[in-house]
């Protein structure tokens, strides 16, 4: 085992950290208060090649490995969960799914501009009555000859108002249950599509989250991803990628909580000494450090498996569950360390706590992941090989003409 980062990965971390310190940190308090999603951040991330960091160069990406994607998500969430979420959805849930399941025509039309950051992608699976129970979805896609007619709605969709392309899941044959769900690439500009942001969220207030609606939207046959009935397995494999980025982001929340707490421990004194000298405060700091190191090890193991082209559903589930729980505990302890000041937005830790709650719920609740891990250990759950896998890293070299 080699726990060293490459020079390229170290430089990437420094680049993203510097970006966060200059472009997000000075403004995030105001954006959070106003519930404002700053879309220009996406443009600047694209300029740095971060909207397609782990997509092969032949499809417009930076061609870096999957652990590099984790590094980007860690550092972005250190600034705020909203911008890690944007990369999670755009890259993890949408672009990586196109890379894994799309045909060449779909990759050229949708993946290339997304990888370059010219277009933004999102993911539409959750519905008002279908969260953990995916098969309860009501959205349908009726075969009308040259196209499908899409009707229904999705909720809690990140980038609902900012994305250009959406991966949408709908029933093409409800009688087949899970095997009757199909996946489609939907464009915002199509007639019958609309979106609406959700305001008043507990956390991630600087992000864009909401509902998308389909009123007799005509989806061309060539926008079917995979085959009819492949939707459920495509969605689950997409969640492997999304959960990986969420777990990595959780490490960023722990980092931010730890940095803020250590700083405050040296600034604040009680009973004649820095509060960091009190053992129960040290205990909370130590828990953060342990949570950060353990979470990173789980995340990087999942990333290593992705680099090797190996299925990682089990390992990614464990990383997502544990890292998100550790992040919530770290943010909660950070508020406690700050005392009454932690209850005010004068300090950032209350935002960390509010933000840290959502990842414990989305992309598989902690309860879902707990059950999954128990079933794996007991032998009740076994992952079958997928017909389509992400490409192994290093990616196969391509000619300059192909890249152009």
């Amino acid at each position: 085992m080699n726990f060293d980062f490459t020079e390229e990965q170290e430089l990437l971390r420094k680049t993203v950290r510097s970006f966060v310190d200059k472009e997000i940190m000075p403004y995030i308090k105001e954006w959070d208060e106003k519930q404002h999603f700053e879309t220009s951040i996406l443009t600047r991330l694209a300029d740095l090649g971060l909207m397609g960091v782990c997509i092969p160069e032949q499809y417009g990406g930076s061609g870096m490995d999957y652990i590099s994607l984790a590094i980007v998500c860690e550092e972005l969430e250190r600034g705020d969960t909203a911008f890690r979420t944007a990369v999670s959805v755009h890259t993890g849930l949408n672009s990586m799914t196109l890379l894994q399941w799309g045909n060449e025509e779909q990759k050229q039309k949708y993946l290339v501009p997304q990888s370059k950051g010219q277009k933004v992608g999102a993911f539409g699976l959750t519905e008002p009555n279908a969260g953990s129970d995916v098969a309860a979805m009501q959205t349908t896609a009726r075969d009308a000859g040259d196209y499908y007619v899409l009707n229904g709605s999705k909720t809690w969709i990140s980038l609902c108002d900012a994305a250009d392309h959406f991966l949408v899941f709908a029933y093409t044959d409800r009688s087949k249950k899970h095997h009757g769900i199909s996946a489609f690439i939907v464009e915002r500009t199509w007639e019958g599509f609309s979106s609406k942001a959700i305001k008043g969220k507990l956390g991630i207030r600087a992000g864009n989250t909401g509902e998308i609606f389909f009123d007799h939207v005509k989806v061309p046959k060539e926008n079917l991803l995979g085959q009819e009935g492949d939707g459920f397995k495509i969605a689950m494999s997409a969640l492997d990628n999304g959960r990986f980025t969420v777990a990595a982001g959780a490490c960023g929340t722990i980092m931010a909580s730890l940095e803020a707490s250590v700083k405050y421990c040296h600034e604040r004194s009680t009973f004649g000494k820095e509060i960091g000298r009190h053992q129960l405060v040290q205990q909370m700091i130590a828990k953060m450090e342990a949570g950060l190191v353990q979470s990173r090890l789980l995340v990087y193991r999942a990333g290593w498996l992705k680099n090797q082209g190996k299925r990682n559903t089990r390992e990614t589930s464990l990383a997502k569950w544990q890292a998100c729980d550790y992040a919530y505990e770290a943010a909660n302890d950070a508020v406690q360390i700050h005392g009454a000041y932690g209850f005010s937005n004068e300090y950032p830790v209350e935002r960390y706590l509010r933000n840290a709650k959502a990842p414990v719920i989305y992309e598989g609740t902690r309860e879902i992941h707990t059950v999954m891990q128990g079933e794996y250990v007991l032998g009740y759950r076994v992952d079958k090989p997928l017909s389509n896998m992400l490409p192994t890293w290093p990616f196969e070299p391509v000619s300059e003409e192909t890249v152009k």
Side-chain angles (χ1 to χ4, degrees):
M1 291 178 285
N2 183 357
F3 292 98
D4 293 330
F5 291 109
T6 65
E7 289 184 12
E8 188 178 41
Q9 289 168 338
E10 293 282 13
L11 178 60
L12 176 67
R13 186 181 293 279
K14 290 179 182 178
T15 299
V16 183
R17 177 162 290 221
S18 175
F19 175 84
V20 167
D21 287 345
K22 294 177 182 177
E23 305 292 342
I24 296 177
M25 292 290 203
Y27 314 106
I28 189 58
K29 179 182 175 183
E30 178 184 356
W31 294 340
D32 182 78
E33 288 176 345
K34 294 182 177 180
Q35 301 183 59
H36 168 71
F37 179 58
E38 183 55 49
T39 56
S40 68
I41 294 294
L42 301 184
T43 303
R44 280 171 269 177
L45 289 173
D47 292 341
L48 293 171
L50 300 180
M51 294 295 275
V53 64
C54 62
I55 303 298
E57 292 179 73
Q58 71 182 101
Y59 295 119
S62 297
M64 300 183 74
D65 74 335
Y66 301 111
I67 291 175
S68 296
L69 173 62
I71 291 170
V72 170
C73 290
E74 275 187 52
E75 293 297 332
L76 285 177
E77 185 144 339
R78 176 179 160 269
D80 193 78
T81 310
F83 301 105
R84 188 276 305 156
T85 298
V87 170
S88 285
V89 172
H90 171 85
T91 305
L93 289 174
N94 189 308
S95 293
M96 290 172 72
T97 305
L98 291 178
L99 178 65
Q100 185 171 353
W101 295 95
N103 58 40
E104 191 60 28
E105 181 182 349
Q106 291 168 339
K107 290 175 183 177
Q108 292 298 330
K109 184 175 182 180
Y110 295 106
L111 179 57
V112 170
Q114 287 182 190
S115 300
K116 294 178 179 179
Q118 297 167 346
K119 297 290 184 180
V120 176
F123 187 80
L125 180 63
T126 301
E127 297 187 4
N129 294 306
S132 298
D133 183 7
V134 173
M137 73 169 60
Q138 298 298 308
T139 301
T140 60
R142 177 176 59 83
D143 190 336
D146 294 334
Y147 53 85
Y148 293 91
V149 178
L150 187 65
N151 281 288
S153 66
K154 302 291 180 178
T155 193
W156 296 111
I157 306 305
S158 297
L159 303 176
C160 67
D161 295 324
D164 303 288
H165 310 146
F166 298 80
L167 285 186
V168 176
F169 298 84
Y171 270 114
T172 45
D173 188 344
R174 192 179 298 278
S175 67
K176 295 181 180 179
K177 297 184 178 180
H178 291 81
H179 300 291
I181 298 172
S182 300
F184 302 91
I185 304 169
V186 176
E187 297 183 23
R188 168 179 297 281
T189 56
W190 290 346
E191 185 177 355
F193 178 95
S194 59
S195 64
K196 179 183 178 182
I198 295 172
K199 298 294 185 180
K201 296 176 296 182
L202 170 68
I204 319 183
R205 290 179 168 237
N208 174 229
T209 313
E211 301 170 278
I212 55 177
F213 306 92
F214 318 104
D215 183 7
H216 294 85
V217 176
K218 293 181 179 179
V219 182
K221 282 291 181 69
E222 58 265 27
N223 280 49
L224 173 69
L225 190 63
Q227 304 297 317
E228 276 197 18
D230 283 350
F232 184 77
K233 66 180 180 182
I234 291 174
M236 294 303 104
S237 68
L239 288 175
D240 282 348
N241 301 327
R243 289 165 176 168
F244 173 67
T245 64
V246 172
C251 296
T253 292
I254 303 172
M255 278 197 296
S257 299
L258 191 55
E259 288 176 15
S261 297
V262 168
K263 184 174 184 290
Y264 191 74
C265 281
H266 290 308
E267 293 174 346
R268 176 77 168 175
S269 294
T270 60
F271 302 102
K273 56 185 176 182
E274 291 184 353
I275 62 171
R277 295 289 183 182
H278 298 298
Q279 288 185 336
L280 291 181
V281 173
Q282 292 174 3
Q283 181 185 51
M284 289 185 278
I285 295 292
K287 283 168 54 184
M288 291 184 204
E289 175 68 7
L292 177 59
V293 172
Q294 292 173 57
S295 297
R296 277 179 165 168
L297 288 173
L298 291 172
V299 169
Y300 298 156
R301 178 178 67 158
W304 180 86
L305 289 170
K306 287 183 179 295
N307 285 347
Q308 301 300 310
K310 297 179 180 180
R311 186 158 184 186
N312 51 88
T313 302
R314 179 175 181 173
E315 293 81 5
T316 297
S317 165
L318 183 60
K320 194 273 181 185
W321 169 33
Q322 290 298 295
C324 291
D325 270 5
Y326 278 129
Y328 186 77
E329 291 173 10
N332 191 37
D333 281 343
V335 171
Q336 192 70 19
I337 288 171
H338 282 70
Y341 288 107
F343 204 65
S344 163
N345 69 354
E346 180 180 349
Y347 289 85
V349 291
E350 60 86 28
R351 174 167 52 85
Y352 301 157
L353 180 59
R354 289 188 288 104
N355 286 352
K357 186 57 185 176
V360 178
I361 299 171
Y362 60 52
E363 296 204 35
T365 63
R366 69 151 66 103
E367 291 76 19
I368 287 290
H369 288 291
T370 302
V371 171
M372 285 176 65
Q373 293 303 315
E375 289 179 342
Y376 278 126
V377 174
L378 290 165
Y380 301 149
R381 177 184 288 263
V382 178
D383 293 326
K384 299 177 182 178
L386 291 172
S387 58
N388 294 50
M389 294 292 292
L390 285 170
T392 58
W393 190 89
F395 302 127
E396 292 184 7
V398 295
S399 65
E400 291 184 9
E401 290 185 4
T402 304
V403 175
K404 292 177 181 177

